[in-house]
Amino acid sequence: MSGSVAYTREDFLRLDAEDQLAAYRDRFDLPANTIYLDGNSLGAMPAHVPERFERILKKEWAHGLIRSWNDADWYPAPQRAGAKIAKLIDAKNNEVIVADSTSINLFKVLVAALRINKDRKVILGERGNFPTDVYIASGVAELTGSEVRCVDPEEVLDALNEDVAVLSLTHVNYKSGRRYDMAKITKRAHEVGALVVWDLCHSVGAMPVELNAAQVDFAVGCTYKYLNGGPGSPAFVFVAERHFANVDQPLTGWHGHAKPFDFDHDYRPHPTIDRMLVGTAPQLGILGLEASLEVFDNIDMNLVRAKSKALGDLFVALFDQHLQGLGVELRSPREGEERGSQISLSHEQAYAVMQAMIDRGIIGDFRAPDILRFGFAPLYIRYVDIWDCIVSLREILEQRIWDRPEFLARKSVT
Ligand SMILES: *Cc1c(COP(=O)(O)O)cnc(C)c1O
């Protein structure tokens, strides 16, 4: 289908009938009459998870009690879940571990990178990155006597020079959906002797990520977005194996010790990725994540990416076809290759417009000050959802349905 064709709803139904990933939708428990375009914020729940929790809670916790750390194999869950994620991001099984939150993992790898590149003092970042990435970098800079330098995304390559100890970027921007060329930027960073940290929050689970092909040094990411790990599920951290021996991360907790159960007085880091651990794992969160990740067993991430791109391209085509002159602008790259798995539009009353959409069961989200965000989780979004979303959006804009007090009043989580 080319950009000049006027699409109909039937075209979208036909794409669903031909979709090789269509069957994945049945593996999720989604509410009826809802179009969920916010899987980039909180992924949907895989339908088998409650049954797994029933076992974890009643059998393993209630009756197994402390024996379950061994008998139910609780203890190695961070490594097991890490190995499952490793397959999706071109990492070795032993290079990824699940621990803590993205914010905390960023803190660990940024300090570690500065300690490896100890003659340099600059953390290079991007303006417009997700706030926690910038806040954590600032905290690290203050603690280590370094400097955070933030430049616009298109200036990153030019800003890479021999002052830079570590470049810290987010692969897909949370607001615009813009995607960096990971291989090209990592290569340039290495040419000037900088280490690289990639935040994969908006890419893991939505597209193949090529960490080792690009020779990335460190990566972090959350698991509650496209990986569907559940609210607040723990994050992951990737360290390239070549750095294991030199990673001196600052949160020297007992689970990162070479022999935690020797209860030694002195800290000795574990020789492997386990040194990225800090304290006792949020075990229920990790076990839930591990169950959720089974959806990705044997999946072809290239198919996932192809569908994600197609959904985005069609959204843009329908934007062109149906939303002109209605006060909305496209705020994501038109070119699928330059985009992650979301489209952002801007509107003066974006908050109220999104509330009116949610009132109709079409759930996207709002990002201050004026962004309407629509995320496409390819495993459970149908093509027809894109059509129905745009048709509703047009009605809401044309008829100013958003202009009601109940839609204009801000809630605490936006
Ligand atoms: C979602 C997201 C985070 C979340 O960090 P938490 O520590 O899990 O709250 C961080 N960075 C980016 C780029 C994100 O999109």
Side-chain angles (χ1 to χ4, degrees):
M1 297 201 247
S2 87
S4 57
V5 181
Y7 293 114
T8 64
R9 195 169 191 272
E10 281 60 46
D11 294 324
F12 288 77
L13 291 171
R14 196 172 56 245
L15 286 167
D16 282 320
E18 293 163 0
D19 177 12
Q20 285 177 267
L21 296 174
Y24 276 96
R25 184 176 167 85
D26 293 337
R27 298 185 62 175
F28 292 87
D29 181 353
L30 288 159
N33 305 319
T34 302
I35 296 178
Y36 190 58
L37 301 177
D38 214 0
N40 53 331
S41 209
L42 176 66
M45 188 186 73
H48 68 284
V49 167
E51 201 182 302
R52 196 64 59 85
F53 265 117
E54 176 94 5
R55 185 185 87 199
I56 293 163
L57 294 174
K58 292 206 171 148
K59 184 161 177 264
E60 299 180 2
W61 180 13
H63 297 161
L65 292 165
I66 201 160
R67 293 170 291 193
S68 288
W69 285 106
N70 292 311
D71 297 352
D73 242 0
W74 280 358
Y75 190 65
Q79 291 82 353
R80 282 199 308 266
K84 276 186 181 287
I85 294 169
K87 290 192 174 38
L88 307 176
I89 56 177
D90 184 30
K92 295 182 207 153
N93 286 353
N94 66 343
E95 290 177 318
V96 181
I97 199 157
V98 169
D100 306 309
S101 64
T102 298
S103 303
I104 290 173
N105 288 331
L106 258 174
F107 179 81
K108 290 184 260 186
V109 297
L110 286 175
V111 173
L114 284 161
R115 287 175 172 174
I116 290 173
N117 237 347
K118 57 184 176 309
D119 297 332
R120 299 181 178 201
K121 287 285 168 222
V122 174
I123 303 172
L124 183 62
E126 55 175 317
R127 267 187 218 115
N129 199 350
F130 191 87
T132 208
D133 296 58
V134 181
Y135 301 162
I136 292 284
S138 306
V140 168
E142 199 172 304
L143 207 66
T144 56
S146 315
E147 172 202 337
V148 180
R149 203 175 279 167
C150 284
V151 298
D152 288 334
E154 50 292 349
E155 294 167 352
V156 167
L157 283 175
D158 288 339
L160 276 166
N161 60 35
E162 289 174 8
D163 299 338
V164 178
V166 54
L167 171 66
S168 178
L169 295 177
T170 297
H171 189 202
V172 172
N173 184 272
Y174 78 105
K175 225 184 224 183
S176 65
R178 188 210 63 248
R179 188 173 82 134
Y180 279 113
D181 183 337
M182 176 182 281
K184 181 170 156 190
I185 291 176
T186 303
K187 183 160 179 279
R188 178 70 192 137
H190 287 167
E191 280 165 7
V192 300
L195 293 163
V196 181
V197 176
W198 285 101
D199 183 327
L200 306 178
C201 281
H202 283 277
S203 33
V204 65
M207 64 193 71
V209 177
E210 310 263 296
L211 291 184
N212 276 330
Q215 298 198 308
V216 169
D217 302 290
F218 303 100
V220 297
C222 57
T223 63
Y224 48 78
K225 294 172 183 167
Y226 295 106
L227 293 182
N228 315 307
S233 58
F236 65 90
V237 53
F238 159 89
V239 176
E241 195 172 17
R242 65 184 176 280
H243 291 307
F244 281 1
N246 298 322
V247 167
D248 181 7
Q249 70 99 342
L251 299 176
T252 49
W254 71 300
H255 278 262
H257 193 277
K259 297 248 184 238
F261 293 94
D262 280 4
F263 293 96
D264 275 351
H265 179 76
D266 297 316
Y267 186 78
R268 255 186 315 124
H270 198 283
T272 72
I273 189 78
D274 290 27
R275 68 174 55 189
M276 301 312 285
L277 297 175
V278 181
T280 306
Q283 200 65 23
L284 295 177
I286 297 194
L287 294 171
L289 167 64
E290 198 186 356
S292 299
L293 286 171
E294 287 171 16
V295 170
F296 287 90
D297 287 347
N298 310 313
I299 204 161
D300 178 352
M301 289 307 292
N302 292 308
L303 277 183
V304 176
R305 172 66 175 156
K307 181 174 175 186
S308 149
K309 251 170 42 188
L311 291 167
D313 288 347
L314 289 163
F315 192 101
V316 173
L318 293 185
F319 164 83
D320 290 339
Q321 190 179 324
H322 292 289
L323 300 180
Q324 298 308 302
L326 294 174
V328 280
E329 279 176 42
L330 181 65
R331 291 300 188 88
S332 296
R334 271 186 175 270
E335 190 51 55
E337 219 19 68
E338 292 166 22
R339 236 183 14 235
S341 205
Q342 70 177 69
I343 299 275
S344 301
L345 305 177
S346 63
H347 185 272
E348 242 181 10
Q349 291 292 342
Y351 182 80
V353 171
M354 186 51 77
Q355 291 306 309
M357 293 286 282
I358 293 171
D359 187 57
R360 293 178 164 210
I362 302 178
I363 305 177
D365 65 19
F366 160 80
R367 284 293 173 265
D370 62 352
I371 298 291
L372 295 157
R373 220 169 49 145
F374 302 93
F376 313 123
L379 299 189
Y380 51 83
I381 298 306
R382 295 167 299 203
Y383 286 95
V384 74
D385 295 336
I386 303 296
W387 173 271
D388 291 343
C389 168
I390 295 278
V391 167
S392 261
L393 183 53
R394 186 180 58 197
E395 270 172 35
I396 286 166
L397 295 170
E398 269 176 357
Q399 300 168 27
R400 292 177 65 90
I401 291 169
W402 54 266
D403 195 5
R404 292 188 199 150
E406 71 265 33
F407 298 144
L408 289 157
R410 296 271 171 117
K411 298 189 177 123
S412 55
V413 176
T414 65

